[in-house]
Amino acid sequence: MSAPAATLPAIDGPLVDAHAHSWSPELEPDHAGVLARAWGAGLAAIVEVGVDLETSARSLALARKEPRVRAAGGLHPHEASRLESQREGLAALLARGAASGELSAVGELGLDFYRNLSPRPDQERALRWQLGLARELELPVVVHARAADEECYGELRAWAQRAGRYLGPGREIGMMHCFAGDAELGRRYVELGFLLSIPGTVTYRNNERGRRVARETPLAAMLVETDCPYLTPVPHRGRRNEPAYVAYTVREIAALRGESERAVARATAENAARLFGFALGG
């Protein structure tokens, strides 16, 4: 299930898991232990991300109880067909969270044409509605894009051109969660004002595209995440993931880039704090 803290890389620097689902059934029964291991591994913050009304409410509840947890809420593309039944409740929940300062981002939103669990027109409709809501609430977005590279880029490019740098000239407008595109697409997203989030799959030796993105993306444009309980990094691949394991991702990125683990940890943590609007400390 979980690894002893002593097996984790000892990284001298703050860590931030920029995208987690520790409200999930796989982790919820052990949530106190999950958080204890995260803080013990040096994490300064965890961003809990909802995928529908219920899980967005859970993310906000976790943030309300623990100041080192940040919350994002939205409607995942898999759930896009539920937009009409969820729209009113989700809009109200996110507006309250934004007003109270408990909500740090809108999402997980986006396009997923790999599974097509919701029809493409429904996905596009839900994406556009949430992008508009993020602009209205003055919050960044958390974007899921799978098997929809150019389609998602086109939607975000059109929106970014309309919205501009609405969070201020020194702050990005969103993150590409578990970025799986190539380095060239990554550069285009960075130019639009997005950060690229690197998951534990960068530790998989056959993931050359992801490893190249980790090597070539400027540290100032990079985040790290677990997407727990999914995408568990080596050496725990095949078991459930949890926020503490973001340390393995940082270690792998540092090795790929020939930079110190401290530098990668510090830069990605500072980027997360800037994007999500919290004080890093330490």
Side-chain angles (χ1 to χ4, degrees):
M1 293 275 288
S2 59
T7 69
L8 294 167
I11 294 175
D12 180 20
L15 296 165
V16 173
D17 182 354
H19 191 111
H21 306 293
S22 67
W23 44 256
S24 67
E26 293 91 336
L27 294 175
E28 194 277 333
D30 183 33
H31 199 258
V34 166
L35 290 184
R37 287 187 290 275
W39 311 142
L43 269 75
I46 300 168
V47 182
E48 290 284 349
V49 182
V51 297
D52 60 9
L53 176 58
E54 179 185 8
T55 57
S56 296
R58 288 185 196 170
S59 294
L60 280 162
L62 292 173
R64 200 170 296 124
K65 290 194 301 184
E66 168 53 68
R68 289 171 289 186
V69 170
R70 314 300 297 180
L75 195 64
H76 193 286
H78 290 343
E79 308 293 333
S81 293
R82 301 170 62 199
L83 175 61
E84 292 313 312
S85 65
Q86 297 244 318
R87 186 198 302 262
E88 183 177 353
L90 196 55
L93 176 75
L94 300 187
R96 288 195 303 270
S100 67
E102 295 164 342
L103 187 74
S104 293
V106 174
E108 183 172 345
L109 54 84
L111 299 174
D112 191 316
F113 296 163
Y114 180 75
R115 293 188 177 177
N116 279 319
L117 296 186
S118 287
R120 294 188 182 194
D122 289 358
Q123 292 189 43
E124 292 163 354
R125 191 176 303 113
L127 170 61
R128 292 165 187 164
W129 175 69
Q130 290 177 94
L131 290 174
L133 184 61
R135 178 64 184 86
E136 178 183 332
L137 297 177
E138 296 188 329
L139 291 171
V141 293
V142 176
V143 182
H144 171 114
R146 189 176 187 192
D149 285 349
E150 292 303 324
E151 295 90 343
C152 198
Y153 176 79
E155 292 280 353
L156 294 176
R157 180 174 181 270
W159 170 69
Q161 288 177 334
R162 295 192 302 272
R165 290 297 185 98
Y166 63 93
L167 298 176
R171 190 175 171 194
E172 293 82 4
I173 56 176
M175 67 176 278
M176 300 307 299
H177 144 65
C178 281
F179 181 70
D182 61 23
E184 190 275 331
L185 179 61
R187 283 190 289 271
R188 286 191 279 151
Y189 271 123
V190 171
E191 289 172 0
L192 285 186
F194 286 84
L195 297 172
L196 308 185
S197 191
I198 309 298
T201 54
V202 75
T203 66
Y204 303 170
R205 294 295 183 263
N206 63 349
N207 181 19
E208 182 48 42
R209 181 159 75 167
R211 291 163 70 82
R212 180 179 175 187
V213 168
R215 284 192 297 266
E216 297 185 7
T217 300
L219 278 183
M222 186 185 295
L223 301 170
V224 289
E225 66 170 280
T226 59
D227 195 28
C228 67
Y230 317 110
L231 305 182
T232 312
V234 174
H236 301 292
R237 187 177 184 181
R239 288 173 276 177
R240 74 175 197 186
N241 202 1
E242 60 178 80
Y245 292 175
V246 77
Y248 293 110
T249 300
V250 167
R251 179 170 66 180
E252 188 69 23
I253 293 170
L256 287 168
R257 299 174 65 92
E259 300 187 43
S260 73
E261 294 170 359
R262 176 181 172 82
V264 174
R266 168 61 68 174
T268 54
E270 289 177 347
N271 295 341
R274 181 176 69 249
L275 178 67
F276 294 113
F278 64 88
L280 185 60

